Amino acid sequence: GKPRPPVLLDPEIMGVPVVWLASPQSDGISACRFIARDWDRSLPPAEAAARVRAPAAWPTLAQGAATARGHAM
Protein backbone atom coordinates (compact mmCIF):
# COMPACT_ATOMS: atom_id res chain seq x y z
CA GLY A 1 0.00 0.00 0.00
CA LYS A 2 0.80 3.64 -0.02
CA PRO A 3 3.04 5.04 2.70
CA ARG A 4 1.07 6.68 5.50
CA PRO A 5 1.95 10.22 6.54
CA PRO A 6 3.38 10.59 10.03
CA VAL A 7 0.94 11.43 12.79
CA LEU A 8 0.85 15.18 13.16
CA LEU A 9 0.52 16.87 16.52
CA ASP A 10 -2.15 19.46 17.15
CA PRO A 11 -0.46 22.86 16.65
CA GLU A 12 -2.36 24.13 19.70
CA ILE A 13 0.28 22.48 21.92
CA MET A 14 2.62 25.30 20.92
CA GLY A 15 0.42 28.03 22.43
CA VAL A 16 1.49 28.03 26.08
CA PRO A 17 5.21 27.47 25.40
CA VAL A 18 5.28 30.22 22.76
CA VAL A 19 3.56 32.70 25.08
CA TRP A 20 6.12 31.90 27.80
CA LEU A 21 9.00 32.19 25.33
CA ALA A 22 7.77 35.62 24.19
CA SER A 23 7.40 36.81 27.80
CA PRO A 24 9.98 38.53 30.02
CA GLN A 25 10.20 35.28 32.02
CA SER A 26 12.34 33.79 29.26
CA ASP A 27 14.73 36.75 28.99
CA GLY A 28 18.33 35.61 28.73
CA ILE A 29 17.49 32.10 27.56
CA SER A 30 18.86 31.19 24.16
CA ALA A 31 20.38 28.28 22.26
CA CYS A 32 17.64 25.99 23.56
CA ARG A 33 14.62 24.20 22.29
CA PHE A 34 11.51 23.36 24.25
CA ILE A 35 9.58 20.17 23.58
CA ALA A 36 6.01 21.51 23.53
CA ARG A 37 4.57 18.01 23.39
CA ASP A 38 5.91 17.37 26.90
CA TRP A 39 5.01 20.78 28.42
CA ASP A 40 3.14 20.25 31.70
CA ARG A 41 0.39 22.88 31.86
CA SER A 42 -0.24 22.07 35.54
CA LEU A 43 3.16 23.54 36.48
CA PRO A 44 4.19 27.20 36.69
CA PRO A 45 5.49 28.16 33.22
CA ALA A 46 9.15 28.58 34.28
CA GLU A 47 9.17 25.13 35.88
CA ALA A 48 7.43 23.54 32.90
CA ALA A 49 9.99 25.17 30.60
CA ALA A 50 12.91 23.90 32.68
CA ARG A 51 11.60 20.34 32.45
CA VAL A 52 11.34 20.35 28.65
CA ARG A 53 14.43 22.43 27.86
CA ALA A 54 17.18 20.91 25.72
CA PRO A 55 20.15 22.24 23.76
CA ALA A 56 19.11 23.51 20.34
CA ALA A 57 21.93 21.69 18.56
CA TRP A 58 25.61 21.04 18.95
CA PRO A 59 25.59 21.50 22.75
CA THR A 60 29.31 22.27 22.94
CA LEU A 61 29.00 25.16 20.51
CA ALA A 62 25.85 26.44 22.17
CA GLN A 63 27.49 26.31 25.61
CA GLY A 64 30.51 28.24 24.36
CA ALA A 65 28.32 30.92 22.79
CA ALA A 66 26.17 31.25 25.88
CA THR A 67 29.21 31.51 28.15
CA ALA A 68 30.77 34.14 25.89
CA ARG A 69 27.61 36.21 26.28
CA GLY A 70 27.47 35.68 30.05
CA HIS A 71 24.39 33.41 30.01
CA ALA A 72 24.01 30.07 31.71
CA MET A 73 22.48 27.20 29.78
Side-chain angles (χ1 to χ4, degrees):
K2 293 182 181 180
R4 295 175 51 189
V7 175
L8 299 177
L9 299 174
D10 186 340
E12 187 174 313
I13 67 170
M14 295 295 294
V16 174
V18 168
V19 168
W20 174 81
L21 194 56
S23 77
Q25 292 179 6
S26 69
D27 285 357
I29 295 176
S30 64
C32 296
R33 63 181 173 176
F34 298 89
I35 312 301
R37 175 192 65 225
D38 299 332
W39 190 279
D40 187 344
R41 292 176 182 224
S42 70
L43 297 174
E47 186 177 341
R51 289 185 181 207
V52 299
R53 185 176 175 179
W58 303 285
T60 305
L61 293 176
Q63 180 65 44
T67 301
R69 291 178 177 83
H71 300 291
M73 282 189 54

